[in-house]
Each structure stands twice: as C-alpha cells, then as structure tokens.
Amino acid sequence: MPVAINTQDLHVAYGDDVALTGVNIEVPAASSLAVIGPNGSGKSTLLGVLAGTVPSTSGSAVVEGPAPAFVLQSTEVDKSLPITVRDTVSLGRYPSLGLFGRFRGEDRSAVDNAMRRLAIDDLERKQLHELSGGQRQRVLIAQGLAQDADVLLLDEPVMGLDVTSRAIILDLIDEEVEDGRTVVVTTHSLEEARRCDQVLLLDTNAIAVGPPAAVLTETHLRQAFGGGVLRVGDQFILDDPHHDHSH
C-alpha cells in the first residue's frame, strides 16, 4: 500500500525548548493515525509540521499529494464578524481556486456535500457566531472536507462536544478512510485512539507507534502519563483534569 505520510527523525525546537523529537512514522494511504499524549507532548506541533505551518528543526516530514486539509479546534467567534455557515465552508475551496477565483459547479457541489455529511446544511444561512460549539466544530470540519484533500489533519476534533456532534465527526473519520483518504487525529481519549488503524504515543519523543493494542499498554501509558493512569479491571483511565474521562 502506498505511503501517504512519512517522517524521519523529526525534531522541532523553539530555541532551547524541544517541542518534538525522534518521531519516525509511516502512515499508509487510506488509513487513520491517532496521536495521543499529555498536554504539551507535541501533538499539535506534529500536525503543524505535516500541514506546513510549523517548520522542522531537523529530520524530514513528507506528505504525498496536494496540501493536506488542516482543521483546528473550534474557538469563540467575534460577533462582529459577518460570515455565514455556507461562506465559512466555501473557504475550503479557495486553495484550489485562488482568492479571486470564480466558483464552479464542482465547487458548489463540494460545499453542499460537506455540509450535508456534517449535518449542517439546514444552518447554511446562520451566522457562525450564532452556533453552539459542536455545530461550529462541524462547520470547520466541513470546510476541511470541502478542500477535497487526500490527507485530513484534525486537532482534537471532538473534545468537549455534545454527543450528537461527537458521533457525527467520529463516523465521518471512519467514512473518510473507507473512501480512500488518510486521516491524522490528535486526541486525549483512549477510546477514540482505539478506533484508528495506528496510534502514535507522544511525550515530546515518540514512545511507541503501531496498532492500538500494541501501543496503548499499561507500560507505555505510564511512561507517557506517569501517575495519571488508573487501571479499572482490564481498562485504563487517564486521570488528568485536562482529559475527557469517558474512556
């Protein structure tokens, strides 16, 4: 199977502060990778390098094909910003159109399809600031889908969201892989990580990478999270106030 993402000895530092080091991953096309680790472990930095927004200090990171779609966590929106849901999703088409490019039928179809898949088509005329956090996150992911990239990078896409938005987004990730795209998702959730084909466990350096069962072991988790790992029967819980406990 062709490789969509490859990193070799990837190292990122900001002056004397090391954000990420020793990351070697190979992600096949049409597969999913979960990146999990404590806060400040380098998860978002890795996505930034893959997206081309964060420069590496040494080593290499190669993403095959066109530029990946990079979706950040939803944040509050300035109420003075007059932008609708459809306008926001449509911005995903501009990487291929150019800022002053004219929308074509295929662009409108891509936007329509993205909104339908994220169940926000009935909100198209709503202002972005009027939406709930879950709805707003779905809009941003629809924007990424509308870009129609081969690789989709999602930074904590369901953290803190309502049950409906969470289910829609997690199902969409599975559908994207089935449709032949490659998805990299950062998460604090063991449950979400286990849904993916591979898991990368980070704590600045790469502790382990591979199938979920081989990576999410008690030994590896304690190495990354220290005393923040609790065993409950055969299950593990990440006992950290910054983590979602629904694992």
Side-chain angles (χ1 to χ4, degrees):
M1 185 175 291
V3 173
I5 300 171
N6 182 281
T7 71
Q8 296 290 328
D9 296 324
L10 182 62
H11 181 85
V12 179
Y14 304 101
D16 294 331
D17 296 326
V18 176
L20 197 65
T21 190
V23 176
N24 295 281
I25 58 173
E26 192 172 274
V27 185
S31 73
S32 55
L33 172 72
V35 183
I36 189 168
N39 290 325
S41 61
K43 299 187 300 296
S44 296
T45 297
L46 176 60
L47 287 195
V49 172
L50 297 179
T53 62
V54 173
S56 61
T57 305
S58 61
S60 64
V62 176
V63 179
E64 298 294 341
F70 185 22
V71 181
L72 298 171
Q73 290 184 61
S74 174
T75 58
E76 292 299 319
V77 178
D78 188 338
K79 292 183 178 181
S80 67
L81 179 66
I83 187 168
T84 66
V85 166
R86 173 169 281 275
D87 291 340
T88 304
V89 177
S90 296
L91 291 173
R93 299 302 298 171
Y94 285 102
S96 59
L97 280 177
L99 187 59
F100 301 105
R102 191 168 186 172
F103 253 53
R104 304 154 295 186
E106 63 192 81
D107 300 307
R108 286 186 286 274
S109 294
V111 171
D112 289 342
N113 182 57
M115 290 197 299
R116 176 187 57 78
R117 292 182 63 194
L118 272 302
I120 55 170
D121 42 334
D122 60 330
L123 303 173
E124 65 173 343
R125 295 184 180 179
K126 285 272 192 182
Q127 293 290 311
L128 194 60
H129 69 79
E130 296 176 329
L131 305 184
S132 68
Q135 290 171 331
R136 197 158 55 242
Q137 181 69 358
R138 280 188 271 155
V139 170
L140 295 181
I141 292 177
Q143 183 188 92
L145 282 191
Q147 189 174 325
D148 200 23
D150 295 333
V151 175
L152 182 61
L153 308 173
L154 303 175
D155 194 9
E156 300 278 4
V158 299
M159 187 173 182
L161 300 191
D162 58 274
V163 173
T164 298
S165 294
R166 178 186 174 92
I168 289 171
I169 292 169
L170 291 177
D171 287 345
L172 177 104
I173 291 171
D174 295 340
E175 292 167 5
E176 284 295 281
V177 173
E178 289 174 5
D179 289 343
R181 292 181 179 82
T182 306
V183 181
V184 180
V185 54
T186 63
T187 180
H188 280 127
S189 167
L190 297 177
E191 177 187 352
E192 292 161 24
R194 291 190 186 101
R195 293 174 64 116
C196 293
D197 298 306
Q198 288 192 87
V199 176
L200 169 63
L201 180 59
L202 281 180
D203 189 13
T204 304
N205 65 309
I207 291 173
V209 61
V215 173
L216 301 177
T217 65
E218 183 173 6
T219 298
H220 289 152
L221 291 172
R222 290 196 183 282
Q223 187 176 346
F225 293 96
V229 178
L230 301 179
R231 176 189 280 275
V232 180
D234 293 330
Q235 300 296 316
F236 302 111
I237 297 175
L238 301 180
D239 186 29
D240 185 311
H242 298 289
H243 292 78
D244 179 359
H245 282 217
S246 58
H247 308 322

